[in-house]
Structure formats: C-alpha cells, structure tokens
C-alpha cells in the first residue's frame, strides 16, 4: 500500500513538473511569435507592456521627425529606435517627451527652411539701366530734383545728406543711388556683383553697393535704375557683358521721413 502511494506521489510530481515546463514552453513560444511579427500596430503594442510600446508607439503619423510609424520598418528596427530613446536615467522616454522633441525638431527645420527661402528671395539677376535728375518726367530739367524718399539731388552740388549737408558726386554716403521695385523697401541696401559697369568709383570686376532711394514708372521686378547725375553724363557705363547678381543685404532702414540710416 505504501509502495503504491509513493508511486502515485512520484507520478503527480512528474506530471506537475511536465505541466509547468509545458506551460513555460507555451509562454516562450507565444513570446517568440510576438517578437517575429513584421508589423507593429496599437494592438500588437498593447501585448508588449514590458517595453512600454503602447505608450511609445501611440504617436500620430505627423510626428515625422522621428519616423516611428514608418510602414516599411521592421520590428527589430522599430524596437531599436524605441530602445535608443532613453532619458539620462536609462528609462524609455514617454510619448509626451517624444512629441515635444519632435515638435522642436520640426520647428528647427521650419526655421531653416524659412531662412533659406529668405536668402533665395533676396538674391536675383538684375537688369540695370541708368537715369539722371533731368530725365523725362523726373521734374529736374533745371538740374535739381528729388527721389521718391525725398532726398534732394543736384547735378552740380551732388546729393543732400541726412544732416542737410551736400556731398558731391552721385552717392548717398558710400552707397550709389538706385530706383527699385516697390516690393523692395526704401533705404534697402543691395550688393551688385559681376555687373560689368565702370565709372565714378565702380570697377567692373568688383561689386558695388547701392541704396534704394527712388521708384520709377517702368521700374518693376528685377529692374534696377542707377542714378548717374545728368542723363548724358556718362558717369557710369557698361564695359563688359556679364550676368550680374544682386543681393539684398539690408531690408529698409529709414532713420527719418526723408532719410536713411548710413
């Protein structure tokens, strides 16, 4: 009788151990099956709480900076991305932390794009002509007139400065005077290079700087009209055929109702 009881107890023990091992194997198989899937969605993520994937992967597709929801990424690649996103303590970052980071990255990218767009908008290929104070319709037949900003020009005395003094020549301070499209604010400064012009201190192989003080009925788009004193003065002439480049290096810059900062 005792022998039978001992045998029965051994049988129960072996069955219990086998059952536990089978259960463990089943769990292991289930874990392996979960790890071998090729697509993670919210339902799959919920089955892996140990990796916080429900919290980490519940991120909308507009969070492009981290590309966590890319459809072509494998499970191992996604897990690698998730595991790399840890804080200084080694804990996985929360969904809120990742979203905040992605927002900052998107803002930084947007800012760089805006800066690039501004740089491109400020650079253009100009068509340059010249005009004098006595040009037709300018009202300066007697040799004196004014720009759209209100700066007085005189063919003999020169250009009136902000302090009321006269500077001989055709420059406002150190800048040559131009008329430009209304989209370019008055007092803006433009660097013009590869222009092929010569005269009055301008060399065809060096850029010159001009300030927008004037407008014109035919001055639109990339058209720039360069002031040369009198119409027939020949103060600045074209000596070389080139493809010029204009770059707006300062936008605006008024220092008063009829003057610009120099």
């Amino acid at each position: 009788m005792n022998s039978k009881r001992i045998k029965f107890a051994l049988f129960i023990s072996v069955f219990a151990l086998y059952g536990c091992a089978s259960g463990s194997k089943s769990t292991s198989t289930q874990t392996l099956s979960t790890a071998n899937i090729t697509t993670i969605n919210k339902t799959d993520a919920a089955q892996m709480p140990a990796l916080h994937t429900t919290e980490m992967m519940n991120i909308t597709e507009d969070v492009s900076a981290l590309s966590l929801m890319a459809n072509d990424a494998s499970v191992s690649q996604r897990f690698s991305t998730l595991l790399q996103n840890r804080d200084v303590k080694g804990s996985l970052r929360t969904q809120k932390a990742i979203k905040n980071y992605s927002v900052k990255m998107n803002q930084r990218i947007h800012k760089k794009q805006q800066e690039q767009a501004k740089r491109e908008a400020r650079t253009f290929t100009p068509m340059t002509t010249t005009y004098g104070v006595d040009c037709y319709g300018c009202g300066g037949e007697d040799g004196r007139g004014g720009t759209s900003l209100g700066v007085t020009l005189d063919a003999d005395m020169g250009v009136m400065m902000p302090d009321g003094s006269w500077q001989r020549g055709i420059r406002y301070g150190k800048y040559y005077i131009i008329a430009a499209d209304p989209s370019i604010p008055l007092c803006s400064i433009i660097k013009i290079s590869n222009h092929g012009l010569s005269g009055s201190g301008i060399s065809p192989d060096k850029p010159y700087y001009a300030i927008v003080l004037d407008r014109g009925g035919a001055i639109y788009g990339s058209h720039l009209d360069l002031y040369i004193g009198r119409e027939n003065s020949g103060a600045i002439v074209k000596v070389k055929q080139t493809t010029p480049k204009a770059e707006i290096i300062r936008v605006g810059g008024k220092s008063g109702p009829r003057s610009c900062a120099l």
Side-chain angles (χ1 to χ4, degrees), residues 9-196:
L10 287 174
F11 173 80
I12 292 300
S13 298
V14 170
F15 178 82
L17 288 173
Y18 178 79
C20 289
S22 298
S24 176
K25 182 178 180 181
S26 176
T27 302
S28 176
T29 301
Q30 179 62 32
T31 302
L32 180 61
S33 175
T34 303
N36 284 338
I37 60 176
T38 57
T39 304
I40 291 181
N41 52 35
K42 294 179 182 179
T43 303
D44 298 323
Q47 297 174 359
M48 299 177 230
L51 288 176
H52 302 276
T53 50
T54 301
E55 182 180 28
M56 298 280 294
M57 295 299 291
N58 188 22
I59 299 172
T60 56
E61 292 182 1
D62 62 339
V63 186
S64 57
L66 297 179
S67 300
L68 293 178
M69 299 298 288
N71 293 327
D72 59 344
S74 67
V75 171
S76 60
Q77 289 173 327
R78 295 187 187 210
F79 279 170
S80 176
T81 302
L82 290 174
L83 293 174
Q84 289 172 6
N85 286 285
R86 295 180 178 274
D87 59 24
V88 292
K89 296 181 180 180
S91 301
L92 286 172
R93 299 184 193 278
T94 63
Q95 174 186 338
K96 181 179 180 180
I98 291 178
K99 282 188 174 181
N100 289 339
Y101 175 75
S102 67
V103 167
K104 290 181 180 178
M105 290 297 295
N106 285 332
Q107 289 174 340
R108 191 176 303 173
I109 292 170
H110 183 61
K111 183 178 180 181
K112 288 183 178 180
Q113 290 174 338
Q114 286 183 320
E115 291 173 351
Q116 179 65 24
K118 286 181 180 180
R119 284 194 295 271
E120 292 175 356
R122 291 184 179 188
T123 304
F124 59 95
T125 301
M127 179 188 72
T128 304
T129 55
T130 59
Y131 77 103
V133 68
D134 56 341
C135 67
Y136 178 78
C138 294
E141 290 80 4
D142 60 351
R144 175 172 288 199
T147 70
S148 296
L149 181 64
V151 175
T152 303
L153 306 175
D154 190 285
D156 299 317
M157 298 181 68
V159 181
M160 185 174 285
M161 296 293 102
D163 61 1
S165 64
W166 286 93
Q167 177 177 284
R168 288 193 174 276
I170 57 175
R171 287 186 287 185
Y172 185 77
K174 62 181 179 179
Y175 303 110
Y176 294 90
I177 298 170
I178 56 173
D181 184 272
S183 65
I184 304 176
L186 292 171
C187 297
S188 297
I189 295 173
I190 301 179
K191 176 184 177 182
I192 300 138
S193 55
N194 199 38
H195 46 77

